[in-house]
C-alpha cells in the first residue's frame, strides 16, 4: 500500500512485446527509486507513455490518448502528472515531438531503458527476456532500424543471469525477444544502409544491400541455437518461446533444435509479409516464397506437431492484383495458425517511403486486408498446411 508521501507512476504501453518488456524495465527503475505503481493514469504523479511507430495508426493512437489526458486534466481542474514519452515515436527527435505534442514534459530515449535494468513483472510464471535490441534488416517499409537503431545483442552472461534470477523466483516460461532473434550473437559487418540513405537521397532499390550482407555467416552452430540449449539446461524452465525470426537466416540447425528440444514451444512465428517474390524483393526481405516454404516444410517434416503463424502486409506500393493473388494462394495452402495482416503504412524516412509512391488506394488496401483476414484467421483455422 502506498503511503501519502510516496510518489506514484503509471505506464501506458502501446505496441509490441518489446515495448511491453521495456515497460517492465521502466517500472523496475521507478520501483528502485521508491515509487509505487498507481491504479490509474488519472491519479499518478508521473505518467509514462510508451509509444509505437510501426504504422501511422499506432502513432495516432498515442497522440489521441495524450489528447484525452490533456482534456481530462483541463476539465477536472486536477493537478496533472508529469508526462514522459518513450518508445518508438522518440525517433522523431525532441524538437519535433515537443511541438507536435505540447503536453509532453520529458522524452526518454528507448536506448536508455537498458537490458540490465531490474523489472517489475505482472505475470509470475512467464517472463519476456530481451536478447537483442534494434534491427539491421532494413526491410524497406520498416521504421524499426531508425526508431530502435542498429541491432545489438545482449551478452550471454547478462541473459543467463536474468534466467537464473527468474528460476530462483519460480518462473517456468520465457519468451526471448528481438527483431530478428536468429542473428543473436552473430558478428555484424555493418553495411552502411543509413549512410547510403543520408548521402544519396536519390538511391533506388538496386542500391540497397540485401539484409543477409549485414552478418558474417555462422561457420559453426549459430549462437542463437547455443543460447536455446543453454536456457534449456535449467530444469525449472519448462517452456521457451522466441520472436521474431526471419526466414532467410532460419538455419537448419535451428530447425533441428526446435524439432528435438521439446522445451521450445511448438508454435513458430515466421513472418512472410507477401506471397509474391516481386513484392518481397521491393520489401528487401532477403528471401523468396520458395525459401519460406522450404523452412516450413522442414519444420513440419521433422515435427508434425509444429504450428506456424505469420505477419502479412497488404497494399505495399505497386502491389498488383496478380501479386496480391499470389499471397492469397499461398495463404490458402499455408493455413497459418494465426496471421497478423497489416495495411501498408508509409513511414517517413524509410526506403519504401522514399523510393515508391503509396499508390494503392485505402479502400483497395482494406478490401485486400479483409480477404486475407478471412482466409487466414477464420476459414482455414485448425487445418494442416499443404506445402508445395
Ligand atoms: N522483426 C519482425 C520482422 O522482421 O518481420 C517484425 C517487426 S514489426 C514490429 C511487426 C510487423 O509490423 C511486421 O512483421 C510487419 O508485418 C508490420 N509492419 C512493419 N512496418 C509496417 C508498415 N510500414 N506498414 C504496415 N505494416 C508494417
Amino acid at each position: 500500500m502506498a503511503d501519502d508521501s510516496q510518489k506514484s507512476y503509471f505506464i501506458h504501453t502501446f505496441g509490441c512485446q518489446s515495448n511491453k518488456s521495456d515497460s517492465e524495465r521502466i517500472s523496475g527503475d521507478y520501483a528502485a527509486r521508491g515509487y509505487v505503481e498507481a491504479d490509474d493514469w488519472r491519479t499518478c504523479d508521473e505518467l509514462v507513455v510508451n509509444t509505437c511507430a510501426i504504422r501511422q495508426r499506432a502513432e495516432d493512437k498515442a497522440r489521441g490518448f495524450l489528447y484525452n489526458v490533456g482534456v481530462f486534466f483541463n476539465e477536472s481542474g486536477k493537478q496533472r502528472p508529469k508526462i514522459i514519452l518513450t518508445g518508438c515515436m522518440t525517433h522523431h527527435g525532441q524538437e519535433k515531438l515537443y511541438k507536435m505534442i505540447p503536453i509532453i514534459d520529458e522524452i526518454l530515449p528507448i536506448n536508455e531503458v537498458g537490458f540490465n535494468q531490474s523489472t517489475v513483472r505482472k505475470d509470475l510464471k512467464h517472463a519476456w527476456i530481451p536478447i537483442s535490441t534494434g534491427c539491421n534488416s532494413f526491410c524497406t517499409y520498416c521504421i524499426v532500424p531508425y526508431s530502435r537503431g542498429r541491432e545489438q545483442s545482449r551478452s550471454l552472461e547478462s541473459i543467463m543471469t536474468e534466467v537464473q534470477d527468474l528460476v530462483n523466483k519460480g518462473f517456468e516460461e520465457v519468451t526471448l525477444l528481438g527483431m530478428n532473434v536468429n542473428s543473436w550473437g552473430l558478428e555484424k559487418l555493418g553495411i552502411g544502409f543509413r549512410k547510403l540513405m543520408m548521402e544519396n537521397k536519390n538511391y533506388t532499390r538496386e542500391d540497397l544491400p540485401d539484409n543477409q550482407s549485414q552478418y558474417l555467416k555462422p561457420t559453426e552452430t549459430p549462437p542463437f541455437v547455443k543460447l536455446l540449449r543453454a536456457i534449456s539446461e535449467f530444469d525449472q524452465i519448462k517452456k521457451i518461446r522466441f520472436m521474431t525470426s526471419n526466414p532467410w537466416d532460419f538455419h537448419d540447425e535451428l530447425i533441428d533444435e526446435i524439432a528435438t528440444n521439446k522445451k521450445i514451444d511448438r508454435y513458430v512465428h515466421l513472418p512472410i509479409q507477401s506471397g509474391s517474390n516481386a513484392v518481397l524483393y521491393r520489401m528487401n526481405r532477403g528471401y523468396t516464397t520458395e525459401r519460406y516454404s522450404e523452412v516450413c516444410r522442414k519444420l513440419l517434416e521433422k515435427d508434425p506437431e509444429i504450428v506456424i503463424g505469420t505477419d502479412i502486409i497488404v497494399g505495399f506500393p505497386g502491389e498488383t492484383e496478380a501479386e496480391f493473388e499470389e499471397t492469397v494462394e499461398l495463404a490458402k495452402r499455408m493455413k497459418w495458425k494465426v496471421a497478423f495482416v497489416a495495411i501498408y503504412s508509409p513511414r517517413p524516412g524509410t526506403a519504401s517511403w522514399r523510393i515508391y509512391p503509396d499508390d494503392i488506394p485505402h479502400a483497395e488496401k482494406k478490401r485486400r486486408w479483409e480477404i486475407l483476414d478471412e482466409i487466414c484467421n477464420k476459414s482455414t483455422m485448425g487445418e494442416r498446411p499443404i506445402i508445395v
Side-chain angles (χ1 to χ4, degrees), residues 111-271:
N111 52 9
E112 285 180 17
V113 174
F115 289 132
N116 297 326
Q117 185 59 56
S118 62
T119 53
V120 172
R121 301 178 198 268
K122 298 261 153 69
D123 188 337
L124 297 179
K125 192 173 160 219
H126 162 266
W128 308 106
I129 304 184
I131 62 164
S132 64
T133 179
C135 190
N136 283 357
S137 288
F138 282 90
C139 304
T140 56
Y141 52 79
C142 192
I143 195 72
V144 172
Y146 310 89
S147 61
R148 286 184 169 262
R150 288 305 73 71
E151 184 175 303
Q152 261 180 290
S153 293
R154 184 179 182 182
S155 73
L156 176 67
E157 194 193 0
S158 162
I159 298 170
M160 295 311 279
T161 303
E162 183 159 5
V163 178
Q164 178 67 66
D165 183 51
L166 290 166
V167 163
N168 295 344
K169 289 177 176 149
F171 282 79
E172 291 180 358
E173 298 181 9
V174 294
T175 302
L176 309 178
L177 294 176
M179 287 298 147
N180 181 15
V181 289
N182 303 358
S183 56
W184 178 81
L186 280 183
E187 206 172 322
K188 316 281 187 304
L189 295 171
I191 304 289
F193 270 87
R194 185 116 204 209
K195 195 160 170 273
L196 170 108
M197 291 167 178
M198 302 298 274
E199 285 172 1
N200 171 15
K201 299 267 183 231
N202 298 319
Y203 62 83
T204 65
R205 169 63 189 87
E206 283 65 43
D207 294 321
L208 297 179
D210 288 339
N211 53 20
Q212 291 98 321
S213 56
Q214 300 273 310
Y215 307 96
L216 270 184
K217 238 186 152 156
T219 48
E220 44 167 50
T221 306
F224 180 57
V225 173
K226 291 188 188 165
L227 177 66
L228 289 170
R229 287 179 190 159
I231 296 174
S232 306
E233 292 284 307
F234 288 93
D235 287 340
Q236 297 88 335
I237 296 290
K238 309 279 185 246
K239 180 80 70 198
I240 305 171
R241 301 184 181 91
F242 53 84
M243 61 195 316
T244 304
S245 277
N246 246 302
W248 68 264
D249 60 352
F250 211 104
H251 301 293
D252 284 352
E253 273 172 291
L254 178 56
I255 295 174
D256 289 340
E257 185 63 22
I258 297 169
T260 53
N261 179 347
K262 301 295 178 189
K263 284 193 176 184
I264 299 175
D265 194 27
R266 297 299 90 189
Y267 174 78
V268 176
H269 193 72
L270 196 55

Side-chain angles (χ1 to χ4, degrees), residues 328-340:
V328 169
E329 287 312 308
L330 190 70
K332 284 182 183 161
R333 291 200 310 272
M334 285 299 308
K335 303 175 197 297
W336 287 289
K337 163 96 176 152
V338 58
F340 296 97

Side-chain angles (χ1 to χ4, degrees), residues 54-55 141-142 179 244 246 271 273 285 311 313 342-345 347:
I54 205 82
R55 287 179 281 278
Y141 52 79
C142 192
M179 287 298 147
T244 304
N246 246 302
Q273 310 299 2
R285 287 289 291 174
D311 294 350
I313 297 176
I343 286 180
Y344 172 70
S345 171
R347 307 281 61 220

